Amino acid sequence: MKNTSPYYTRTAQVLHWIMAIIFIVAWIIGFYSGNFLSYETDGSFKGDVITLHKNIATTIIFLVMIRIFWRYTHPAPSLPDSMSPTMKVLAHLRHLALYLMLLALPITGCLFSWSAGHPAPVLYMFEIPRLLEENYDVLEIVKPLHIYLSWAAGLLVVGHIGAALKHHFIDKDGVLTSMTRQPK
Ligand code: HEM
């Protein structure tokens, strides 16, 4: 299946921007808690901030599944002809890496929380069924994994935003507007 329109579908656009906001907010809160708060000096406030991080970030796991389904049933618009074949392949690989991060971060986050003996709550409404009991051997693996992945994902997202801005302001090729506009 090939998308002949220069624009993503409205559903794909809405999913993209909602997930972008959730990702950035979850990233900032996780970063703040992990690097600026400690249980010794901030006590229960740190616990509240981590709980907020989890309640926001777990939504990504549901949204990314819908997004992957939508992406396969509604292909993306073609990249501009002005891009070389190598640049197109690199762009696709970077998008694939972003999808993998959107899966890996909430999964390692949940494993992190469960293995430390805590739940994985969603929007303060319900919890993701626990797939793992408290386990410090697993915690030793998934905690650094979640932290390193969060940094790698942060860098990928910064590169993604930079590339989108380059397409818009330097190449002026409509790649950014394919995610913001609909045909008239
Ligand atoms: C897209 C989703 C997610 C993103 C972008 C994200 C990002 C981050 C970041 C940037 C950090 C701080 C890393 C550091 O210490 O430098 C962090 C820490 C953490 N994350 Fe996530 N995370 C996500 C999902 C989750 C989920 C779903 C959970 C659990 C249900 C979770 C649990 C935690 C915990 C417990 C910490 C440690 C916080 C602390 O030590 O104060 N994360 N995350």
Side-chain angles (χ1 to χ4, degrees), residues 92-149:
H92 287 307
L93 287 177
R94 283 206 311 265
H95 288 163
L96 181 66
L98 279 166
Y99 276 104
L100 290 177
M101 286 297 179
L102 290 173
L103 281 167
L105 272 173
I107 290 173
T108 54
C110 289
L111 293 173
F112 181 177
S113 198
W114 290 328
S115 60
H118 302 293
V122 184
L123 294 176
Y124 295 94
M125 290 197 296
F126 63 96
E127 287 169 9
I128 298 182
R130 190 183 274 263
L131 300 178
L132 188 76
E133 291 308 319
E134 189 169 315
N135 183 329
Y136 290 100
D137 293 332
V138 175
L139 180 63
E140 263 179 46
I141 299 168
V142 292
K143 181 178 174 178
L145 195 58
H146 185 68
I147 293 172
Y148 289 134
L149 282 175

Side-chain angles (χ1 to χ4, degrees), residues 60-93:
I60 293 277
I61 191 88
F62 302 100
L63 292 169
V64 77
M65 286 191 291
I66 299 172
R67 179 124 177 238
I68 290 170
F69 168 78
W70 197 262
R71 179 72 171 69
Y72 270 97
T73 50
H74 301 78
S78 314
L79 289 167
D81 294 336
S82 54
M83 285 174 75
S84 70
T86 316
M87 290 308 283
K88 285 185 183 177
V89 170
L90 286 177
H92 287 307
L93 287 177

Side-chain angles (χ1 to χ4, degrees), residues 39-54:
Y39 283 111
E40 285 75 47
T41 52
D42 304 293
S44 66
F45 178 63
K46 179 169 168 92
D48 292 344
V49 173
I50 297 181
T51 302
L52 178 65
H53 173 69
K54 294 178 188 176

